[in-house]
Amino acid sequence: MTNSRIPGFYNLTLEERRAKLAEASNRTPEDLLPWTTGGISAESADHMIENVVGLHSLPLGIGLNFMVNGRDVLIPFAVEEPSVVAGASFMAKLARAGGGFTATTTEPLMIGQMQLINVVNMNEARLKIYEHKAELLAIADAIDPVLKKFGGGARDLEVRTIEESAIGPFLVLHLIYDVRDAMGANAVNTACEKLAPQIEAITGGKVHLRILSNLADRRIARVRCTIPVSELTVGFESFKGETVRDGIIAAYAFAASDPYRAATHNKGIMNGVDSVVIATGNDWRAIEAGAHAYAARNGKYTSLSTWGKDKDGNLVGTLEMPMAVGIVGGATKVHPAAQAAVKLMGIKTANELAEIIVSVGLAQNMAALRALATEGIQRGHMSLHARQVAIAAGASGELIEKVAAQMVAEKVVRSDRAEEILKAMESGK
Ligand code: MEV
């Protein structure tokens, strides 16, 4: 059993953290090795994409304190932005006091789209497709025996009519496919390509595009957490819990009603979501596309999360979004660091991963809103940013913290000042 609470983790050395992580997660140091080496060699990268010349690394940090559906989980974050890991871990600690995160998922249903053009009679074609639905589904169902073995396969076929477009009216077919623990793009695209000739024969039209939709609104992950109002003062003793709670709710109201704010609010959610999506080798562009399309599903771009209070005055947060992630194919399968991530979290299904990811998204969102609604984002952000500026100015070892601390104390976090402070410290002045 994993224990996601590791007090003082932040203050340990890299080596000590690795040892603590192995101990807290009941893993061997070898299980965590891909993170000490960066995961893949340039040679294996050469088989993944084109024109490879090397590798590009990101920091890998561990999100602490998370309890998702009653289970402790240590969560790997691959991200370059300071404050993300610390913010989510802190909020996960507050959420524990209210029972942690409660998450659910729909069945892992992806949508494959086929654009049917050059149809003489749209209604006739639409009904003919429905008449042949069973045989079309049977063809699509047979394309991936492995998926089928694990309970996946074609589930439904729907026909939509686009009445007005630059090329006039046309039909769109949606193939609904259960992809189980895969992200599903390959299975769905293959199935759509396979169905196209049959659909052309049935309707007399032409199947133009055949591709999955990233608006994966049949594959939704949902999460809820309750933060006891008393917890909201932790670390913010000068604020009343009710003030912090109402500040967070007012911040949410801003995002819910203004797309300019909603974009930034959702970006904060994606800081957490993408970090885990990347750490597990999943396609973060697909997740980003799905998230923002979903946020605009009612015709106006809005917040993916909600914040309010329960009958006892506690803060309640929710997040719902498409979550098309897999644990069996693609980079997740071939990248040793992604495998280490899946192993560390002890997950057996893609749905469990999706539930963890939305929990991180909600924690991250709360971290940002709590800071914004109280002392502002810059204070916490600045001390971490100052470390990066110190490193960029040439500081190493102990001097990183020292140079950063002095810049924060002076409230001047700039590379020229970092260089001056560093020079003075090195010369012992
Ligand atoms: C910065 O990466 C994310 C925030 O802007 C999110 C937000 O404003 O809610 C702090």
Side-chain angles (χ1 to χ4, degrees):
M1 278 259 289
T2 292
N3 173 10
S4 70
R5 307 213 52 193
I6 315 182
F9 197 62
Y10 181 81
N11 293 319
L12 303 177
T13 63
L14 265 171
E15 279 313 315
E16 289 168 342
R17 278 191 211 127
R18 285 173 186 150
K20 277 272 180 217
L21 181 61
E23 186 190 312
S25 59
N26 286 318
R27 306 281 170 233
T28 63
E30 289 70 47
D31 288 335
L32 313 177
L33 209 60
W35 292 321
T36 60
T37 58
I40 50 168
S41 62
E43 288 67 37
S44 35
D46 201 19
H47 300 296
M48 291 175 85
I49 64 161
E50 309 74 38
N51 299 350
V52 167
V53 292
L55 302 170
H56 173 101
S57 303
L58 283 174
L60 192 290
I62 302 296
L64 302 175
N65 307 321
F66 276 87
M67 185 162 75
V68 179
N69 293 337
R71 188 173 78 88
D72 266 29
V73 58
L74 286 156
I75 308 178
F77 283 56
V79 63
E80 86 299 344
E81 184 171 328
S83 302
V84 168
V85 180
S89 300
F90 189 66
M91 294 310 139
K93 195 165 157 189
L94 302 192
R96 275 183 96 87
F101 298 91
T102 307
T104 54
T105 39
T106 61
E107 293 295 300
L109 298 177
M110 294 298 285
I111 299 168
Q113 294 198 290
M114 287 160 278
Q115 181 191 21
L116 184 61
I117 58 175
N118 302 348
V119 172
V120 176
N121 183 320
M122 303 259 285
N123 275 326
E124 180 194 35
R126 191 166 59 86
L127 294 207
K128 277 185 167 173
I129 293 164
Y130 283 129
E131 286 158 28
H132 289 82
K133 182 163 132 174
E135 82 203 49
L136 290 166
L137 285 180
I139 296 167
D141 202 40
I143 59 114
D144 195 325
V146 179
L147 256 185
K148 186 123 185 83
K149 194 174 116 202
F150 288 104
R155 294 288 182 263
D156 204 359
L157 193 63
E158 297 165 352
V159 191
R160 296 168 49 217
T161 307
I162 305 287
E163 299 288 357
E164 277 178 42
S165 85
I167 56 159
F170 58 88
L171 293 178
V172 179
L173 281 70
H174 278 190
L175 173 65
I176 313 298
Y177 213 96
D178 185 326
V179 297
R180 292 287 100 195
D181 293 318
M183 186 274 183
N186 276 333
V188 169
N189 292 341
T190 309
C192 289
E193 291 192 2
K194 187 83 190 264
L195 287 185
Q198 246 79 16
I199 289 163
E200 290 179 347
I202 292 165
T203 61
K206 176 176 162 36
V207 176
H208 191 45
L209 299 197
R210 296 144 293 165
I211 186 77
L212 113 161
S213 170
N214 287 124
L215 176 50
D217 62 1
R218 301 295 183 93
R219 196 178 188 181
I220 299 288
R222 303 186 168 96
V223 64
R224 177 180 61 78
C225 71
T226 302
I227 318 283
V229 77
S230 56
E231 291 294 308
L232 289 167
T233 55
V234 177
F236 276 165
E237 280 71 19
S238 54
F239 289 91
K240 277 179 67 189
E242 286 76 10
T243 311
V244 180
R245 176 198 65 201
D246 294 345
I248 290 174
I249 296 172
Y252 154 67
F254 186 6
S257 41
D258 176 25
Y260 286 91
R261 173 58 205 153
T264 324
H265 175 102
N266 290 342
K267 191 274 183 183
I269 293 172
M270 301 313 285
N271 276 344
V273 166
D274 286 342
S275 300
V276 189
V277 170
I278 293 170
T280 54
N282 275 288
D283 180 346
W284 74 92
R285 289 85 57 207
I287 301 298
E288 282 281 341
H292 299 292
Y294 192 70
R297 67 195 177 283
N298 295 325
K300 182 180 172 198
Y301 187 87
T302 186
S303 165
L304 287 166
S305 64
T306 71
W307 291 96
K309 56 185 175 185
D310 68 11
K311 64 175 179 21
D312 301 318
N314 297 317
L315 180 69
V316 179
T318 69
L319 170 64
E320 299 183 55
M321 61 187 290
M323 196 46 67
V325 287
I327 58 166
V328 292
T332 309
K333 183 95 186 247
V334 298
H335 200 304
Q339 284 291 301
V342 169
K343 199 162 182 185
L344 178 73
M345 291 186 280
I347 46 182
K348 299 276 176 295
T349 65
N351 276 354
E352 279 178 84
L353 174 58
E355 288 163 3
I356 290 172
I357 292 174
V358 282
S359 303
V360 170
L362 189 60
Q364 203 72 59
N365 183 218
M366 187 185 152
L369 298 192
R370 181 171 176 268
L372 287 166
T374 52
E375 60 182 17
I377 206 79
Q378 284 308 76
R379 197 177 75 100
H381 226 67
M382 265 308 142
S383 55
L384 284 156
H385 176 59
R387 285 156 78 194
Q388 282 187 348
V389 173
I391 295 169
S396 60
E398 289 186 338
L399 285 178
I400 300 173
E401 291 301 335
K402 286 189 175 157
V403 173
Q406 184 161 337
M407 284 194 293
V408 171
E410 292 175 1
K411 293 195 169 75
V412 181
V413 182
R414 277 197 332 251
S415 57
D416 56 334
R417 184 63 191 134
E419 281 167 23
E420 279 168 19
I421 298 171
L422 182 62
K423 225 183 209 165
M425 284 182 176
E426 279 172 341
S427 65
K429 279 185 219 151

